[in-house]
Amino acid sequence: MLLDYSFGETVLYGSETDDLWCAGCPFGKLHSPAPFDPEQLVLLQYRPGELRSAPAETLLIREDEPESQVLVLVTGWAARSKLMPDGREIILQLHLPGDLIGYTPALIGEPPHFSLYALTPITYQLLDRKRVAAVFDTAPALARQLMLRLAHRQRIVEYWLMNLARRRVDQRLAWVLLVLFTHLRRLGLVKDGAFRFPLSQQQVADVVGAHVIHVNRVLGQFRQHGLVRMQNRQLHIDNLDGLRQAACACGTVASRD
């Protein structure tokens, strides 16, 4: 299922926060960043009709590349990754439609510390890297929005670390699946409780910081307990309340009014 993409405000420029967490859960405090003004993005050479496409596994941003791209992901999934000295790859962040990617290296004038590659076939829009770098001088209001996004991303990283630190693998995995579900639901990419799930089990293991055998075991437990199941590269959430309880950091679940 692909979006009829004209870069509508509900996708690129902000979204409402889902009330899926109980009031006391720290994960419930993650809010969407402030919306962009479409007219401001035009200053970065944003033209909604000029889309590029790339197949899965395409490398879009290369680590340490001086003139790396800045782009808006329109359709599909991408992953921000880091290659370790021993050759292992760590997935730092998953990117979904509407994400603005690669602006941090442009803002600070340094090569990216990460690589970005397409997990699925994607379409995307390139922004002008030099205009992004000069945004503090040319468009202070937009620069402020970008800095707010950086602050929001930093908060997500902190909560991501909170999820990884001293939580069981089943809790980590449930949290990641619920976060993906809420984001994709806002984008209109969830149908009947199911969404496309292109990650391999090894990639899932990289995301949650666990061995692939352990992740396979947890996914099997989720399936046995009727929480989620995988079918034809689709993830079906069969028991949302159960998944919420498994993901919540304080062990309780919000009431569904």
Side-chain angles (χ1 to χ4, degrees), residues 15 18 37 46 86 88 175 254:
S15 55
D18 287 277
D37 182 339
Y46 162 75
D86 62 2
R88 291 180 300 168
W175 182 78

Side-chain angles (χ1 to χ4, degrees), residues 57-220:
E57 300 184 7
T58 298
L59 184 64
L60 300 164
I61 295 176
R62 187 185 301 275
E63 184 177 347
D64 295 328
E65 184 177 27
E67 296 295 321
S68 60
Q69 298 185 124
V70 182
L71 59 94
V72 176
L73 186 62
V74 180
T75 59
W77 292 43
R80 183 192 304 250
S81 66
K82 177 76 174 178
L83 189 64
M84 303 302 290
D86 62 2
R88 291 180 300 168
E89 180 186 52
I90 295 178
I91 294 180
L92 302 175
Q93 186 176 1
L94 298 174
H95 288 286
L96 301 175
D99 281 2
L100 178 59
I101 311 168
Y103 64 93
T104 307
L107 285 177
I108 64 178
E110 295 183 0
H113 68 282
F114 59 87
S115 294
L116 180 79
Y117 64 94
L119 286 168
T120 67
I122 64 169
T123 58
Y124 63 99
Q125 161 105 46
L126 281 181
L127 301 182
D128 189 291
R129 192 179 195 278
K130 292 182 179 178
R131 294 191 184 190
V132 173
V135 71
F136 286 96
D137 296 323
T138 60
L142 178 55
R144 183 176 184 276
Q145 293 283 55
L146 291 175
M147 293 307 296
L148 288 174
R149 291 235 161 188
L150 286 175
H152 175 73
R153 180 181 295 171
Q154 178 62 32
R155 191 174 192 184
I156 290 177
V157 169
E158 291 169 356
Y159 279 83
W160 190 275
L161 292 175
M162 182 189 302
N163 182 55
L164 291 178
R166 299 191 178 184
R167 299 195 80 208
R168 300 190 310 267
V169 174
D170 60 319
Q171 295 171 325
R172 301 180 212 168
L173 182 55
W175 182 78
V176 169
L177 296 181
L178 189 61
V179 168
L180 289 172
F181 170 80
T182 56
H183 194 153
L184 291 166
R185 188 171 68 171
R186 293 171 194 163
L187 298 176
L189 295 174
V190 174
K191 183 177 181 181
D192 298 328
F195 56 87
R196 185 183 184 189
F197 193 75
L199 299 180
S200 68
Q201 291 186 341
Q202 182 59 61
Q203 289 169 328
V204 174
D206 291 339
V207 168
V208 301
H211 195 280
V212 64
I213 294 177
H214 198 165
V215 168
N216 291 346
R217 186 181 304 119
V218 170
L219 284 172

